Amino acid sequence: MRTVCLGWHWLPYRYARTAEDVNGARVAAFPPWLAELGRAAVADAYGDAGAGAGYTPDAALVNFYDGAARMGMHQDREERSDAPVVSLSLGDTCVFRFGNTEDRGRPYTDVELASGDLFVFGGPSRYAFHGVTKVLEGSAGPASGMRAGRLNLTLRDTGLGGGSESGERSGA
Ligand SMILES: O=C(O)CCC(=O)C(=O)O
Ligand SMILES: [Fe+2]
């Protein structure tokens, strides 16, 4: 799996403005249209326009999975905010394991995430363990726009402040 970040660079246990563990490069800006998409997703998932309007994600992790890639069970908890995490999947379908908030084991539910699917971790599910157990190689139709593999974007509110475009704006 390969990962690129927007807005803030994710490192185990924290976020940074540069890709310290890759090449030291400054993180690309988090685009305003992606925040808009996140707001629409939260409004839809909660059935609450106000919850959507109040959502201000400032970081995205973009993960590319080839046919063999997996992601182990984990919680998204580097953020200093309880705001929801919005996940968008493109390309090949995967088997996504959505677990409980206590540990990596059962109970969990396996759901297929196909191209175009949005998944929102919010409320009591915000800190649920989750992972990807399988990518169904070649399952995406040509309409996905991807030749192979799966892309997943997770939108997050880091709670670190500095504005959503501050990948470009803030001082080093
Ligand atoms: O690829 C997915 O669906 C999940 C990605 C994920 O859990 C993460 O980036 O933290
Ligand atoms: Fe995650």
Side-chain angles (χ1 to χ4, degrees):
M1 203 195 60
R2 291 167 58 179
T3 304
V4 162
C5 301
L6 302 173
W8 288 91
H9 181 77
W10 180 90
L11 293 150
Y13 311 116
R14 69 191 169 90
Y15 284 96
R17 284 299 197 187
T18 56
E20 294 170 18
D21 55 342
V22 184
N23 55 7
R26 195 168 175 80
V27 183
F30 183 86
W33 64 263
L34 200 49
E36 260 326 301
L37 191 146
R39 282 190 272 280
V42 169
D44 269 6
Y46 283 55
D48 177 349
Y55 184 52
T56 54
D58 63 349
L61 268 69
V62 183
N63 293 322
F64 176 77
Y65 298 77
D66 64 22
R70 312 270 177 270
M71 185 180 281
M73 294 293 275
H74 67 278
Q75 293 167 298
D76 294 350
R77 43 180 247 183
E78 280 69 42
E79 301 74 31
R80 294 187 198 162
S81 157
D82 290 337
V85 172
V86 171
S87 151
L88 169 63
S89 296
L90 294 168
D92 283 344
T93 299
C94 81
V95 178
F96 178 76
R97 181 159 291 178
F98 183 57
N100 65 80
T101 55
E102 297 298 314
D103 58 43
R104 292 177 170 76
R106 292 173 191 276
Y108 49 68
T109 306
D110 287 348
V111 289
E112 290 194 355
L113 295 183
S115 195
D117 282 350
L118 277 165
F119 191 97
V120 176
F121 300 80
S125 301
R126 171 62 181 81
Y127 296 103
F129 282 86
H130 57 278
V132 171
T133 61
K134 192 192 282 189
V135 173
L136 307 178
E137 238 181 318
S139 54
S144 78
M146 285 184 59
R147 226 176 324 134
R150 170 176 185 261
L151 274 179
N152 175 265
L153 283 75
T154 45
L155 314 189
R156 298 136 184 257
D157 179 359
T158 63
L160 294 168
S164 57
E165 296 101 309
S166 44
E168 293 298 327
R169 273 202 316 240
S170 79

